[in-house]
């Protein structure tokens, strides 16, 4: 069980309360920057609220997966030691004895302790987790700072899952997982008998793993039963009911305002038109009518300021994305012929014509990102006829400069146009002068997509573009990519995205080559 009461973090949220019963399986969703990660950190005990309290059940062990990797100086072994505690220490003791068998009694005692702690079963679980999460090939002495962002995140996930928690708090756990890793995690969570709260915008994952969704908004925390599909349907229905109430309320308001105005006009007309002889009596009448009008006006004001007055839903700021290309024909845009990258790709060929829409799938480490870098010219061997823009899976390290300054340097846009475009990505006055290093992961993702749009491109290459995007942003990006007339190659494990942006070719990077993984025909030789 986990309970947070009257939590306050200024200025993100105030007075939030959340209780997770034993065995609860819930997700926390909401717009980027609304405070989901902060709320998760509060529940994990990593951060403290300005006001309120967090309490876990007696005997509960909380496992927390942050979005960002911990200290880059940590090794994989450090993660496992911290997660597994005594059993990992005994495992290291056994390793030492196996190298030096001079003290067989101590070796036997260590084996007995290891067995009592369930070490052999844990070893099997550890091997399976590292394999399914695509990290079993890594040296356990490797420092996290030397790994790719995806490798480090998957190692951290493995350590959290193996720490025998009774409460799991996961912040975007699928961001760096391939299809196999996502499937394994969903299966693992299905067998997990503890309490789960995850922040995720992976729609299929939410449908498979949770039965309740909490949405954090400026108005507070709303609960929905079911996974993402039920949440989306219920949210639309709630909005429709709310809009009906708002419409009925507006009709009442307009009727009262018209009545107030008519009464006020009546009082004014009476005062202007009465004769001298009738003035005292009619003036008293006019004052009475005016007083009645004021009373109605005050009553309406009180009603509108009351908590029972229904407010129209606050829509996100207008978010319009336009991805344009001047290509209308089928000209050759890019090609790689017989490209090999040692240990990753072997004799790979791919031809792209204007208007092609290609999805690249395949397990982590198969070479999807490498192929995108070849097409982008980061690695040589590609023949390219046009402007190419690449959104990497792990964005390059951002300089410690203001957002607007960096963005104008990337796009060469005038300041007014740059501000307008950034505003479309919900990067307004509160973020525009903030250093890039202080942006949230979701904000950083939007900044990079905005830079690609602002700079213009004939060929857009996207590597896992849905990572860190909230549902509203995701829907707009999908609509923009559907409307894009240029050439698009996207590496993704998100099947919903592939369907939404209407890819006509789906290729799987496998065994160092390319194979068609749908009924669409690929132009690969």
């Amino acid at each position: 069980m986990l309970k947070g009461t009257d939590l306050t973090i200024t200025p993100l949220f105030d007075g939030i309360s959340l209780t997770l019963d034993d065995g609860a399986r819930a997700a926390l969703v909401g717009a980027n920057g609304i405070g989901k990660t902060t709320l998760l950190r509060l529940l994990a005990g990593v951060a403290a609220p300005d006001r309120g309290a967090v309490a876990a059940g007696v005997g509960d062990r909380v496992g927390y997966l942050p979005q960002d990797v911990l200290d880059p100086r940590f090794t994989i072994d450090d993660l496992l030691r911290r997660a597994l505690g005594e059993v990992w220490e005994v495992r290291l003791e056994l390793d030492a004895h196996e190298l030096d068998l001079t003290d067989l009694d101590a070796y036997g005692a260590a084996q007995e302790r290891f067995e009592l702690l369930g070490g052999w079963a844990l070893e099997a679980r550890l091997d399976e987790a590292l394999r399914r999460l695509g990290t079993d090939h890594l040296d356990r002495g490797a420092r996290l700072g030397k790994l790719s962002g995806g490798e480090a995140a998957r190692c951290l996930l493995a350590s959290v899952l193996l720490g025998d928690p009774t409460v799991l708090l996961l912040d975007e756990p699928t961001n760096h997982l391939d299809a196999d890793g996502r499937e394994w995690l969903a299966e693992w969570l299905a067998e997990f008998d503890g309490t789960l709260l995850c922040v995720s915008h992976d729609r299929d994952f939410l449908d498979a793993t949770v039965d309740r969704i909490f949405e954090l908004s400026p108005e507070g925390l709303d609960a929905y039963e079911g996974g993402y599909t039920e949440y989306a349907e219920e949210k639309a229905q709630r909005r429709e009911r709310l809009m009906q109430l708002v419409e009925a309320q507006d009709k009442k308001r307009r009727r009262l305002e018209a009545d107030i105005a008519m009464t006020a006009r009546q009082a004014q007309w009476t005062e202007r038109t009465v004769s001298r002889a009738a003035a005292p009596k009619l003036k008293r009448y006019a004052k009475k009518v005016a007083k009645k009008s004021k009373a109605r006006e005050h009553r309406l004001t009180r009603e509108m300021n009351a908590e029972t007055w229904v407010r129209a839903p606050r829509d996100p700021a207008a978010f319009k994305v336009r991805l344009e290309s001047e290509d209308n024909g089928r000209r050759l845009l890019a090609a790689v012929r017989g490209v090999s990258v040692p240990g990753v790709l072997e004799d790979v060929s791919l031809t792209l014509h204007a208007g092609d829409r290609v999805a690249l799938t395949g397990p982590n480490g198969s070479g999807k990102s490498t192929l995108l870098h070849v097409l982008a010219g980061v690695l040589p061997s590609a023949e390219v006829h046009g402007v190419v823009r690449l959104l990497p899976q792990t964005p390059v390290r951002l300089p410690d400069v203001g957002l607007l300054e960096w963005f104008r340097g990337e796009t060469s846009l005038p300041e007014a146009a740059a501000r307008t475009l950034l505003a479309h990505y919900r990067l307004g006055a509160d973020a525009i002068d903030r250093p890039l290093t202080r942006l949230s992961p979701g904000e950083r993702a939007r900044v990079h997509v905005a830079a690609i749009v602002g700079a213009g491109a004939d060929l857009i290459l996207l590597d896992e573009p849905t990572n860190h995007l909230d549902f509203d942003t995701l829907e707009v990006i999908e609509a923009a990519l559907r409307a894009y007339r240029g050439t698009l190659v996207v590496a993704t494990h998100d099947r919903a995205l592939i369907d939404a942006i209407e890819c006509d070719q789906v290729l799987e990077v496998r065994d160092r080559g390319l194979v068609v993984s749908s009924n669409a025909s690929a132009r690969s030789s």
Side-chain angles (χ1 to χ4, degrees), residues 4-33:
T5 307
D6 201 25
L7 298 175
T8 297
I9 282 285
T10 306
L12 287 176
F13 46 75
D14 186 16
I16 292 292
S17 294
L18 172 67
T19 299
L20 296 173
D21 295 328
D22 290 339
R25 313 188 68 76
L28 180 64
V29 303
N32 289 138

PDB file of all heavy atoms in Angstrom, residues 4-33:
ATOM      1  N   GLY A   4      -0.288   9.026  -0.449  1.00  0.00           N
ATOM      2  CA  GLY A   4       0.188  10.403  -0.400  1.00  0.00           C
ATOM      3  C   GLY A   4      -0.994  11.309  -0.116  1.00  0.00           C
ATOM      4  O   GLY A   4      -2.014  11.235  -0.787  1.00  0.00           O
ATOM      5  N   THR A   5      -0.874  12.178   0.887  1.00  0.00           N
ATOM      6  CA  THR A   5      -2.007  12.979   1.333  1.00  0.00           C
ATOM      7  C   THR A   5      -1.671  14.463   1.288  1.00  0.00           C
ATOM      8  O   THR A   5      -0.645  14.895   1.832  1.00  0.00           O
ATOM      9  CB  THR A   5      -2.409  12.593   2.770  1.00  0.00           C
ATOM     10  OG1 THR A   5      -2.622  11.185   2.823  1.00  0.00           O
ATOM     11  CG2 THR A   5      -3.681  13.305   3.183  1.00  0.00           C
ATOM     12  N   ASP A   6      -2.562  15.235   0.629  1.00  0.00           N
ATOM     13  CA  ASP A   6      -2.475  16.698   0.631  1.00  0.00           C
ATOM     14  C   ASP A   6      -1.095  17.174   0.197  1.00  0.00           C
ATOM     15  O   ASP A   6      -0.520  18.087   0.778  1.00  0.00           O
ATOM     16  CB  ASP A   6      -2.794  17.227   2.029  1.00  0.00           C
ATOM     17  CG  ASP A   6      -3.237  18.697   1.997  1.00  0.00           C
ATOM     18  OD1 ASP A   6      -3.733  19.125   0.947  1.00  0.00           O
ATOM     19  OD2 ASP A   6      -3.068  19.391   3.015  1.00  0.00           O
ATOM     20  N   LEU A   7      -0.536  16.521  -0.831  1.00  0.00           N
ATOM     21  CA  LEU A   7       0.819  16.849  -1.271  1.00  0.00           C
ATOM     22  C   LEU A   7       0.840  18.183  -2.002  1.00  0.00           C
ATOM     23  O   LEU A   7      -0.016  18.478  -2.843  1.00  0.00           O
ATOM     24  CB  LEU A   7       1.348  15.755  -2.190  1.00  0.00           C
ATOM     25  CG  LEU A   7       1.481  14.362  -1.571  1.00  0.00           C
ATOM     26  CD1 LEU A   7       1.909  13.368  -2.623  1.00  0.00           C
ATOM     27  CD2 LEU A   7       2.473  14.384  -0.419  1.00  0.00           C
ATOM     28  N   THR A   8       1.851  18.995  -1.724  1.00  0.00           N
ATOM     29  CA  THR A   8       1.978  20.301  -2.361  1.00  0.00           C
ATOM     30  C   THR A   8       3.412  20.510  -2.813  1.00  0.00           C
ATOM     31  O   THR A   8       4.345  20.357  -2.031  1.00  0.00           O
ATOM     32  CB  THR A   8       1.585  21.425  -1.385  1.00  0.00           C
ATOM     33  OG1 THR A   8       0.214  21.272  -1.035  1.00  0.00           O
ATOM     34  CG2 THR A   8       1.777  22.791  -2.033  1.00  0.00           C
ATOM     35  N   ILE A   9       3.570  20.804  -4.089  1.00  0.00           N
ATOM     36  CA  ILE A   9       4.850  21.245  -4.631  1.00  0.00           C
ATOM     37  C   ILE A   9       4.552  22.519  -5.422  1.00  0.00           C
ATOM     38  O   ILE A   9       3.800  22.502  -6.390  1.00  0.00           O
ATOM     39  CB  ILE A   9       5.479  20.204  -5.563  1.00  0.00           C
ATOM     40  CG1 ILE A   9       6.136  19.082  -4.744  1.00  0.00           C
ATOM     41  CG2 ILE A   9       6.533  20.830  -6.457  1.00  0.00           C
ATOM     42  CD1 ILE A   9       7.443  19.445  -4.092  1.00  0.00           C
ATOM     43  N   THR A  10       5.102  23.612  -4.996  1.00  0.00           N
ATOM     44  CA  THR A  10       4.866  24.875  -5.673  1.00  0.00           C
ATOM     45  C   THR A  10       5.880  25.033  -6.791  1.00  0.00           C
ATOM     46  O   THR A  10       7.066  24.833  -6.569  1.00  0.00           O
ATOM     47  CB  THR A  10       4.992  26.036  -4.670  1.00  0.00           C
ATOM     48  OG1 THR A  10       4.121  25.769  -3.562  1.00  0.00           O
ATOM     49  CG2 THR A  10       4.607  27.359  -5.308  1.00  0.00           C
ATOM     50  N   PRO A  11       5.458  25.402  -8.030  1.00  0.00           N
ATOM     51  CA  PRO A  11       4.094  25.744  -8.429  1.00  0.00           C
ATOM     52  C   PRO A  11       3.380  24.616  -9.173  1.00  0.00           C
ATOM     53  O   PRO A  11       2.392  24.870  -9.838  1.00  0.00           O
ATOM     54  CB  PRO A  11       4.317  26.926  -9.363  1.00  0.00           C
ATOM     55  CG  PRO A  11       5.595  26.559 -10.077  1.00  0.00           C
ATOM     56  CD  PRO A  11       6.424  25.771  -9.077  1.00  0.00           C
ATOM     57  N   LEU A  12       3.863  23.359  -9.111  1.00  0.00           N
ATOM     58  CA  LEU A  12       3.299  22.307  -9.942  1.00  0.00           C
ATOM     59  C   LEU A  12       1.894  21.909  -9.521  1.00  0.00           C
ATOM     60  O   LEU A  12       0.981  21.860 -10.339  1.00  0.00           O
ATOM     61  CB  LEU A  12       4.230  21.086  -9.932  1.00  0.00           C
ATOM     62  CG  LEU A  12       5.520  21.230 -10.730  1.00  0.00           C
ATOM     63  CD1 LEU A  12       6.381  19.991 -10.546  1.00  0.00           C
ATOM     64  CD2 LEU A  12       5.222  21.452 -12.199  1.00  0.00           C
ATOM     65  N   PHE A  13       1.700  21.557  -8.264  1.00  0.00           N
ATOM     66  CA  PHE A  13       0.367  21.158  -7.825  1.00  0.00           C
ATOM     67  C   PHE A  13       0.213  21.436  -6.341  1.00  0.00           C
ATOM     68  O   PHE A  13       1.181  21.639  -5.608  1.00  0.00           O
ATOM     69  CB  PHE A  13       0.087  19.682  -8.126  1.00  0.00           C
ATOM     70  CG  PHE A  13       1.191  18.733  -7.761  1.00  0.00           C
ATOM     71  CD1 PHE A  13       1.432  18.389  -6.432  1.00  0.00           C
ATOM     72  CD2 PHE A  13       1.988  18.175  -8.753  1.00  0.00           C
ATOM     73  CE1 PHE A  13       2.443  17.508  -6.100  1.00  0.00           C
ATOM     74  CE2 PHE A  13       3.007  17.284  -8.425  1.00  0.00           C
ATOM     75  CZ  PHE A  13       3.231  16.955  -7.090  1.00  0.00           C
ATOM     76  N   ASP A  14      -1.045  21.464  -5.891  1.00  0.00           N
ATOM     77  CA  ASP A  14      -1.349  21.818  -4.516  1.00  0.00           C
ATOM     78  C   ASP A  14      -2.500  20.949  -4.025  1.00  0.00           C
ATOM     79  O   ASP A  14      -3.544  20.860  -4.661  1.00  0.00           O
ATOM     80  CB  ASP A  14      -1.741  23.301  -4.442  1.00  0.00           C
ATOM     81  CG  ASP A  14      -1.945  23.781  -3.011  1.00  0.00           C
ATOM     82  OD1 ASP A  14      -1.495  23.082  -2.087  1.00  0.00           O
ATOM     83  OD2 ASP A  14      -2.558  24.850  -2.829  1.00  0.00           O
ATOM     84  N   GLY A  15      -2.291  20.281  -2.884  1.00  0.00           N
ATOM     85  CA  GLY A  15      -3.365  19.527  -2.267  1.00  0.00           C
ATOM     86  C   GLY A  15      -3.701  18.216  -2.951  1.00  0.00           C
ATOM     87  O   GLY A  15      -4.835  17.743  -2.878  1.00  0.00           O
ATOM     88  N   ILE A  16      -2.741  17.594  -3.624  1.00  0.00           N
ATOM     89  CA  ILE A  16      -2.978  16.318  -4.305  1.00  0.00           C
ATOM     90  C   ILE A  16      -2.982  15.169  -3.289  1.00  0.00           C
ATOM     91  O   ILE A  16      -2.088  15.078  -2.445  1.00  0.00           O
ATOM     92  CB  ILE A  16      -1.889  16.054  -5.365  1.00  0.00           C
ATOM     93  CG1 ILE A  16      -2.005  17.049  -6.510  1.00  0.00           C
ATOM     94  CG2 ILE A  16      -1.979  14.627  -5.902  1.00  0.00           C
ATOM     95  CD1 ILE A  16      -3.235  16.879  -7.354  1.00  0.00           C
ATOM     96  N   SER A  17      -3.975  14.288  -3.371  1.00  0.00           N
ATOM     97  CA  SER A  17      -4.028  13.094  -2.528  1.00  0.00           C
ATOM     98  C   SER A  17      -4.203  11.869  -3.406  1.00  0.00           C
ATOM     99  O   SER A  17      -4.978  11.891  -4.370  1.00  0.00           O
ATOM    100  CB  SER A  17      -5.179  13.184  -1.524  1.00  0.00           C
ATOM    101  OG  SER A  17      -4.949  14.225  -0.581  1.00  0.00           O
ATOM    102  N   LEU A  18      -3.473  10.813  -3.088  1.00  0.00           N
ATOM    103  CA  LEU A  18      -3.500   9.588  -3.881  1.00  0.00           C
ATOM    104  C   LEU A  18      -3.242   8.394  -2.967  1.00  0.00           C
ATOM    105  O   LEU A  18      -2.293   8.400  -2.187  1.00  0.00           O
ATOM    106  CB  LEU A  18      -2.426   9.643  -4.975  1.00  0.00           C
ATOM    107  CG  LEU A  18      -2.169   8.366  -5.784  1.00  0.00           C
ATOM    108  CD1 LEU A  18      -3.387   8.031  -6.631  1.00  0.00           C
ATOM    109  CD2 LEU A  18      -0.939   8.535  -6.672  1.00  0.00           C
ATOM    110  N   THR A  19      -4.109   7.384  -3.039  1.00  0.00           N
ATOM    111  CA  THR A  19      -3.925   6.161  -2.269  1.00  0.00           C
ATOM    112  C   THR A  19      -3.914   4.966  -3.208  1.00  0.00           C
ATOM    113  O   THR A  19      -4.808   4.824  -4.051  1.00  0.00           O
ATOM    114  CB  THR A  19      -5.054   5.979  -1.237  1.00  0.00           C
ATOM    115  OG1 THR A  19      -5.042   7.076  -0.323  1.00  0.00           O
ATOM    116  CG2 THR A  19      -4.867   4.680  -0.461  1.00  0.00           C
ATOM    117  N   LEU A  20      -2.882   4.142  -3.093  1.00  0.00           N
ATOM    118  CA  LEU A  20      -2.778   2.912  -3.875  1.00  0.00           C
ATOM    119  C   LEU A  20      -2.936   1.734  -2.931  1.00  0.00           C
ATOM    120  O   LEU A  20      -2.098   1.525  -2.047  1.00  0.00           O
ATOM    121  CB  LEU A  20      -1.424   2.835  -4.592  1.00  0.00           C
ATOM    122  CG  LEU A  20      -1.146   3.899  -5.656  1.00  0.00           C
ATOM    123  CD1 LEU A  20       0.287   3.774  -6.135  1.00  0.00           C
ATOM    124  CD2 LEU A  20      -2.112   3.765  -6.814  1.00  0.00           C
ATOM    125  N   ASP A  21      -4.006   0.977  -3.090  1.00  0.00           N
ATOM    126  CA  ASP A  21      -4.221  -0.200  -2.258  1.00  0.00           C
ATOM    127  C   ASP A  21      -3.274  -1.317  -2.669  1.00  0.00           C
ATOM    128  O   ASP A  21      -2.726  -1.320  -3.777  1.00  0.00           O
ATOM    129  CB  ASP A  21      -5.668  -0.670  -2.377  1.00  0.00           C
ATOM    130  CG  ASP A  21      -6.654   0.344  -1.817  1.00  0.00           C
ATOM    131  OD1 ASP A  21      -6.285   1.045  -0.857  1.00  0.00           O
ATOM    132  OD2 ASP A  21      -7.764   0.454  -2.371  1.00  0.00           O
ATOM    133  N   ASP A  22      -3.089  -2.267  -1.781  1.00  0.00           N
ATOM    134  CA  ASP A  22      -2.251  -3.424  -2.096  1.00  0.00           C
ATOM    135  C   ASP A  22      -2.750  -4.084  -3.374  1.00  0.00           C
ATOM    136  O   ASP A  22      -3.947  -4.358  -3.528  1.00  0.00           O
ATOM    137  CB  ASP A  22      -2.290  -4.431  -0.950  1.00  0.00           C
ATOM    138  CG  ASP A  22      -1.558  -3.922   0.284  1.00  0.00           C
ATOM    139  OD1 ASP A  22      -0.713  -3.030   0.136  1.00  0.00           O
ATOM    140  OD2 ASP A  22      -1.847  -4.411   1.393  1.00  0.00           O
ATOM    141  N   GLY A  23      -1.820  -4.350  -4.295  1.00  0.00           N
ATOM    142  CA  GLY A  23      -2.180  -5.012  -5.541  1.00  0.00           C
ATOM    143  C   GLY A  23      -2.719  -4.086  -6.610  1.00  0.00           C
ATOM    144  O   GLY A  23      -3.062  -4.556  -7.699  1.00  0.00           O
ATOM    145  N   ALA A  24      -2.790  -2.786  -6.331  1.00  0.00           N
ATOM    146  CA  ALA A  24      -3.291  -1.841  -7.341  1.00  0.00           C
ATOM    147  C   ALA A  24      -2.366  -1.834  -8.556  1.00  0.00           C
ATOM    148  O   ALA A  24      -1.152  -1.984  -8.429  1.00  0.00           O
ATOM    149  CB  ALA A  24      -3.393  -0.444  -6.749  1.00  0.00           C
ATOM    150  N   ARG A  25      -2.972  -1.640  -9.724  1.00  0.00           N
ATOM    151  CA  ARG A  25      -2.195  -1.581 -10.965  1.00  0.00           C
ATOM    152  C   ARG A  25      -2.658  -0.333 -11.701  1.00  0.00           C
ATOM    153  O   ARG A  25      -3.676  -0.347 -12.401  1.00  0.00           O
ATOM    154  CB  ARG A  25      -2.428  -2.843 -11.803  1.00  0.00           C
ATOM    155  CG  ARG A  25      -2.329  -4.124 -10.981  1.00  0.00           C
ATOM    156  CD  ARG A  25      -2.360  -5.354 -11.838  1.00  0.00           C
ATOM    157  NE  ARG A  25      -1.151  -5.457 -12.653  1.00  0.00           N
ATOM    158  CZ  ARG A  25       0.033  -5.839 -12.183  1.00  0.00           C
ATOM    159  NH1 ARG A  25       0.165  -6.157 -10.921  1.00  0.00           N
ATOM    160  NH2 ARG A  25       1.065  -5.916 -12.981  1.00  0.00           N
ATOM    161  N   ALA A  26      -1.912   0.742 -11.520  1.00  0.00           N
ATOM    162  CA  ALA A  26      -2.375   2.052 -11.995  1.00  0.00           C
ATOM    163  C   ALA A  26      -1.290   2.748 -12.799  1.00  0.00           C
ATOM    164  O   ALA A  26      -0.107   2.429 -12.716  1.00  0.00           O
ATOM    165  CB  ALA A  26      -2.796   2.917 -10.813  1.00  0.00           C
ATOM    166  N   ALA A  27      -1.735   3.710 -13.597  1.00  0.00           N
ATOM    167  CA  ALA A  27      -0.828   4.550 -14.375  1.00  0.00           C
ATOM    168  C   ALA A  27      -1.119   6.005 -14.057  1.00  0.00           C
ATOM    169  O   ALA A  27      -2.239   6.369 -13.685  1.00  0.00           O
ATOM    170  CB  ALA A  27      -0.996   4.291 -15.873  1.00  0.00           C
ATOM    171  N   LEU A  28      -0.099   6.823 -14.215  1.00  0.00           N
ATOM    172  CA  LEU A  28      -0.214   8.267 -14.025  1.00  0.00           C
ATOM    173  C   LEU A  28       0.105   8.937 -15.355  1.00  0.00           C
ATOM    174  O   LEU A  28       1.183   8.729 -15.914  1.00  0.00           O
ATOM    175  CB  LEU A  28       0.769   8.734 -12.944  1.00  0.00           C
ATOM    176  CG  LEU A  28       0.801  10.223 -12.611  1.00  0.00           C
ATOM    177  CD1 LEU A  28      -0.531  10.669 -12.015  1.00  0.00           C
ATOM    178  CD2 LEU A  28       1.942  10.518 -11.638  1.00  0.00           C
ATOM    179  N   VAL A  29      -0.861   9.698 -15.894  1.00  0.00           N
ATOM    180  CA  VAL A  29      -0.671  10.351 -17.178  1.00  0.00           C
ATOM    181  C   VAL A  29      -0.958  11.836 -17.027  1.00  0.00           C
ATOM    182  O   VAL A  29      -1.477  12.292 -16.015  1.00  0.00           O
ATOM    183  CB  VAL A  29      -1.575   9.734 -18.272  1.00  0.00           C
ATOM    184  CG1 VAL A  29      -1.334   8.246 -18.408  1.00  0.00           C
ATOM    185  CG2 VAL A  29      -3.054  10.005 -17.974  1.00  0.00           C
ATOM    186  N   GLY A  30      -0.644  12.586 -18.084  1.00  0.00           N
ATOM    187  CA  GLY A  30      -0.863  14.022 -18.070  1.00  0.00           C
ATOM    188  C   GLY A  30       0.124  14.686 -19.003  1.00  0.00           C
ATOM    189  O   GLY A  30       1.067  14.065 -19.505  1.00  0.00           O
ATOM    190  N   ALA A  31      -0.071  15.972 -19.233  1.00  0.00           N
ATOM    191  CA  ALA A  31       0.773  16.719 -20.163  1.00  0.00           C
ATOM    192  C   ALA A  31       2.213  16.771 -19.670  1.00  0.00           C
ATOM    193  O   ALA A  31       2.474  16.710 -18.462  1.00  0.00           O
ATOM    194  CB  ALA A  31       0.227  18.133 -20.341  1.00  0.00           C
ATOM    195  N   ASN A  32       3.166  16.890 -20.605  1.00  0.00           N
ATOM    196  CA  ASN A  32       4.566  17.073 -20.231  1.00  0.00           C
ATOM    197  C   ASN A  32       4.697  18.324 -19.366  1.00  0.00           C
ATOM    198  O   ASN A  32       4.099  19.358 -19.659  1.00  0.00           O
ATOM    199  CB  ASN A  32       5.440  17.227 -21.473  1.00  0.00           C
ATOM    200  CG  ASN A  32       5.580  15.939 -22.258  1.00  0.00           C
ATOM    201  OD1 ASN A  32       5.525  15.949 -23.479  1.00  0.00           O
ATOM    202  ND2 ASN A  32       5.767  14.824 -21.575  1.00  0.00           N
ATOM    203  N   GLY A  33       5.471  18.205 -18.297  1.00  0.00           N
ATOM    204  CA  GLY A  33       5.716  19.353 -17.440  1.00  0.00           C
ATOM    205  C   GLY A  33       4.656  19.582 -16.379  1.00  0.00           C
ATOM    206  O   GLY A  33       4.770  20.534 -15.594  1.00  0.00           O
TER     207      GLY A  33
END
